[in-house]
Amino acid sequence: MSNLSRRRFILTAGATAVGTAILHGCASSNNTASNSAPAGNTTAPATGAADAPEVTTARLGFIALTDSAPLIIAKEKGIFAKYGMPDVEVLKQASWAATRDNLELGSAGNGIDGSHILSPIPYLMTTGKITKQPVPMYILARLNTNGQAISIAKQHADLKLELDSSKLKETALKAKSSGKDLKSAVTFPGGNHDLWTRYWLAAGGIDPNKDISLIVVPPPQMVANMKVGTIDTFCVGEPWNAQLVAQGLGYTALITGDFWKDHPEKAFTMRADWVDKHPKAAKALTMAVLEAQQWCDDPANTEEMCNIISKREWLKIDPKDILGRARGNIDFGDGRKVENSPVAMKFWKDFASYPYKSHDLWFVTEDTRWGYLPGDTDAKALVDKVNREDIWREAAKAINVPADQIPTSTSRGVETFFDGVKFDPENPTAYLKSLKIKKVA
């Protein structure tokens, strides 16, 4: 596949304009330890000068989504400072493409050193598929599990779409025959939302490369694009699905925790050269992020978390737009309502923070499925290069995380999706071969 950096996806903002890019042609737990409750704040052991971070600052990016909360809370609550990093900057990014570009620049080029990120992006950057040249990246933690959704425009309310996308196929084919494809918006080619959408469509017999148009829209522009009728579906994190429902512009077909229970979502990534140069600082940042995740996952803190991250400098929204779903209370907008969903967004509990290598292996396999990575990619070697779960473990031990909250394996084992398909990380090739709709042979 050609380098995606050679054909940047054009994004235009505005309430009546759409930022789009056609993507046609691109693209059970083995742990016995219980981790069902958040740990709460931990107390780090005293450290001497020898353990002090090499620097006191880092430039970290975030997108205006609820799952950026750990970085924001670590800044607002002084947790970065607690671990010797008082000068950390947490900087809003306009889109995932802008995040990618600023990571490529690095802080030396007035960019950023690390970020809240779609989990596949560090792999696409490390291989040079979306950058001018390979930019080695590390994943230091998973920021959350669950918490995304696929939403549908109100003009398709009669389809009553849920997990089964097959009801959309006839509509999609009719639109195509009339010369006007249905459009499904995702946040970045090869990213989480692109992969959730592609899997959901393919499971219902819809080929995302042939039967429908996938387009890229930055998260904050999703609702505006749906309002002007430019897109038919979108997949994104909160608050945008809840805002769509609140404005009466559409409904939520599914939350992604029902798609794949406790699936991996965003990650905390850093440039590899920055981590290699500042290993103590990287560990300190990870310690702060882990403590922030524990704080965010305490139900007693949910309302305060929503109030903090909703501020003008962060998400710039009404806290009510995220409080409901943050508590697991889902109004789908089509008459369905769920209270206290067991697959709402998690930041810490059920090992949400730990970056399982088996999960990254799935992301790499799916990016291979859709042509974002070459068919001969050595997925395991790539994951071993990018995934730094060893730093996570060091950070967890340094802040006295109990042993039963640290996974015993880098694999969560065989994963089962809503359609019954299983992914065995011991044999990703068999999984890839079993899929009927894909770009690779």
Side-chain angles (χ1 to χ4, degrees):
M1 172 182 166
S2 60
N3 190 316
L4 290 176
S5 67
R6 297 188 189 125
R7 46 187 178 84
R8 298 291 191 197
F9 289 83
I10 300 171
L11 303 174
T12 56
T16 60
V18 186
T20 68
I22 300 301
L23 293 186
H24 272 341
C26 290
S28 87
S29 177
N30 282 342
N31 293 293
T32 57
S34 171
N35 193 326
S36 60
N41 288 340
T42 55
T43 302
T47 56
D51 299 315
E54 300 87 354
V55 293
T56 62
T57 187
R59 291 168 61 89
L60 306 178
F62 78 99
I63 294 284
L65 294 164
T66 309
D67 47 36
S68 66
L71 295 190
I72 297 170
I73 293 301
K75 178 64 176 178
E76 286 266 359
K77 289 285 183 179
I79 307 176
F80 285 131
K82 173 181 176 179
Y83 293 111
M85 302 289 289
D87 304 314
V88 169
E89 296 179 80
V90 180
L91 307 168
K92 185 180 290 187
Q93 308 296 298
S95 65
W96 293 119
T99 304
R100 178 267 323 273
D101 291 345
N102 282 322
L103 283 169
E104 186 172 6
L105 288 171
S107 59
N110 202 33
I112 55 180
D113 304 303
S115 190
H116 156 243
I117 202 76
L118 297 169
S119 288
I121 289 181
Y123 291 95
L124 296 170
M125 291 183 67
T126 296
T127 54
K129 297 302 175 184
I130 58 171
T131 48
K132 298 180 182 69
Q133 58 189 4
V135 180
M137 301 294 298
Y138 290 152
I139 287 175
L140 306 184
R142 198 78 62 201
L143 288 179
N144 66 297
T145 57
N146 306 324
Q148 319 302 296
I150 292 179
S151 289
I152 314 296
K154 64 181 179 181
Q155 61 261 37
H156 302 300
D158 60 315
L159 295 176
K160 298 180 179 179
L161 289 165
E162 297 182 23
L163 284 168
D164 180 9
S165 69
S166 64
K167 302 174 191 176
L168 186 63
K169 186 168 185 177
E170 184 178 353
T171 302
L173 294 180
K174 283 183 178 178
K176 190 170 188 66
S177 65
S178 69
K180 186 179 180 181
D181 287 359
L182 289 186
K183 292 183 173 59
S184 291
V186 299
T187 62
F188 190 84
N192 304 38
H193 305 104
D194 183 25
L195 300 182
W196 306 144
T197 298
R198 287 174 178 275
Y199 191 106
W200 177 66
L201 292 170
I206 300 170
D207 189 330
N209 287 334
K210 298 177 181 177
D211 301 332
I212 201 166
S213 290
L214 294 187
I215 64 175
V216 171
V217 177
Q221 296 176 23
M222 290 290 191
V223 176
N225 278 274
M226 192 77 89
K227 185 175 183 179
V228 298
T230 317
I231 55 178
D232 299 279
T233 80
F234 65 61
C235 182
V236 73
E238 299 303 339
W240 312 114
N241 301 284
Q243 281 202 351
L244 185 80
V245 170
Q247 294 180 35
L249 299 173
Y251 65 99
T252 294
L254 63 100
I255 57 171
T256 48
D258 288 328
F259 172 103
W260 174 9
K261 184 179 185 294
D262 292 342
H263 67 81
E265 245 305 312
K266 304 303 187 300
F268 173 45
T269 193
M270 297 288 294
R271 285 177 56 108
D273 57 2
W274 194 95
V275 174
D276 292 342
K277 185 177 180 180
H278 311 106
K280 295 174 185 176
K283 178 180 174 181
L285 289 173
T286 307
M287 291 161 66
V289 168
L290 266 57
E291 184 169 314
Q293 289 180 279
Q294 294 173 334
W295 188 91
C296 289
D297 231 18
D298 185 341
N301 298 329
T302 303
E303 186 170 1
E304 183 183 356
M305 179 193 77
C306 291
N307 287 334
I308 290 172
I309 69 175
S310 296
K311 291 179 182 178
R312 185 178 188 87
E313 63 267 36
W314 306 123
L315 272 61
K316 195 181 177 183
I317 56 168
D318 187 326
K320 292 183 293 185
D321 286 345
I322 54 175
L323 181 58
R325 294 197 180 198
R327 286 175 166 166
N329 301 329
I330 318 295
D331 179 354
F332 287 79
D334 59 359
R336 291 176 294 149
K337 291 185 179 181
V338 172
E339 300 290 319
N340 301 313
S341 170
V343 289
M345 186 179 294
K346 300 174 184 179
F347 295 102
W348 181 261
K349 60 188 174 183
D350 299 325
F351 305 108
S353 170
Y354 178 72
Y356 283 101
K357 287 188 175 183
S358 60
H359 289 163
D360 282 351
L361 188 59
W362 183 83
F363 283 126
V364 171
T365 302
E366 281 290 304
D367 270 345
T368 302
R369 174 187 185 181
W370 299 114
Y372 293 114
L373 289 171
D376 61 355
T377 298
D378 186 336
K380 184 180 183 302
L382 180 58
V383 170
D384 286 343
K385 180 178 182 180
V386 175
N387 183 301
R388 293 301 306 274
E389 60 83 32
D390 58 313
I391 295 177
W392 187 99
R393 289 179 185 276
E394 290 177 11
K397 291 175 183 177
I399 64 170
N400 294 326
V401 170
D404 66 355
Q405 294 179 22
I406 298 176
T408 57
S409 171
T410 61
S411 173
R412 201 171 71 172
V414 176
E415 304 285 349
T416 303
F417 302 93
F418 73 94
D419 56 349
V421 172
K422 296 180 184 296
F423 173 74
D424 183 354
E426 295 299 318
N427 195 353
T429 301
Y431 164 82
L432 192 56
K433 288 181 178 179
S434 74
L435 301 170
K436 295 180 180 178
I437 299 177
K438 54 196 170 189
K439 185 178 180 185
V440 297

